[in-house]
């Protein structure tokens, strides 16, 4: 039997107490590091799952893993225009 959650993306959340200076950064830091706005960062997190996130236990806020943000930054710096255009088209179609 199918349920309404069958076609929804499954986003794993880890509830960890995040000490400062660990392998993660806040959403504001990640957006500034990538040079994008908060809406675009949330799109990368929610729609395309390219940025991995964890959730803190103390204040229940999201934090992005530093490795995934650095990998996204490296891809943006080294990808050719054609690859960026194909990725944009693919991401646009994934939203529907």
């Amino acid at each position: 039997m199918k349920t309404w959650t069958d076609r929804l993306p499954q986003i794993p959340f880890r509830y960890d107490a995040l000490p400062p200076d660990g392998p993660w950064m806040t959403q504001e830091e990640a957006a500034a590091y990538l040079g994008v706005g908060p809406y675009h960062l949330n799109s990368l997190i929610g729609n395309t799952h390219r940025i991995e996130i964890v959730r803190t236990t103390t204040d229940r806020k999201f934090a992005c893993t530093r490795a995934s943000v650095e990998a996204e930054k490296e891809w943006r710096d080294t990808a050719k225009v054609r690859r960026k255009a194909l990725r944009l088209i693919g991401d646009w179609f994934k939203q529907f």
Side-chain angles (χ1 to χ4, degrees), residues 4-68:
W4 65 274
T5 58
D6 286 345
R7 298 186 59 110
L8 296 177
Q10 301 298 313
I11 303 172
F13 290 113
R14 294 190 319 235
Y15 293 95
D16 297 330
L18 300 178
D21 301 329
W24 42 78
M25 56 179 66
T26 64
Q27 285 186 319
E28 293 82 16
E29 292 172 343
Y33 184 76
L34 291 173
V36 298
Y39 179 76
H40 192 181
L41 181 70
N42 287 336
S43 174
L44 286 171
I45 291 170
N47 294 338
T48 62
H49 307 290
R50 290 200 173 87
I51 306 291
E52 298 172 354
I53 57 174
V54 292
R55 223 172 152 177
T56 62
T57 57
T58 55
D59 55 2
R60 299 280 188 213
K61 291 192 176 181
F62 294 110
C64 304
T65 59
R66 190 172 302 276
S68 65

Side-chain angles (χ1 to χ4, degrees), residues 13 19 26 29 35 38 57 69 73 84 93-94:
F13 290 113
T26 64
E29 292 172 343
T57 57
V69 173
K73 175 75 170 172
K84 290 179 182 180
F93 278 111
K94 285 180 189 176

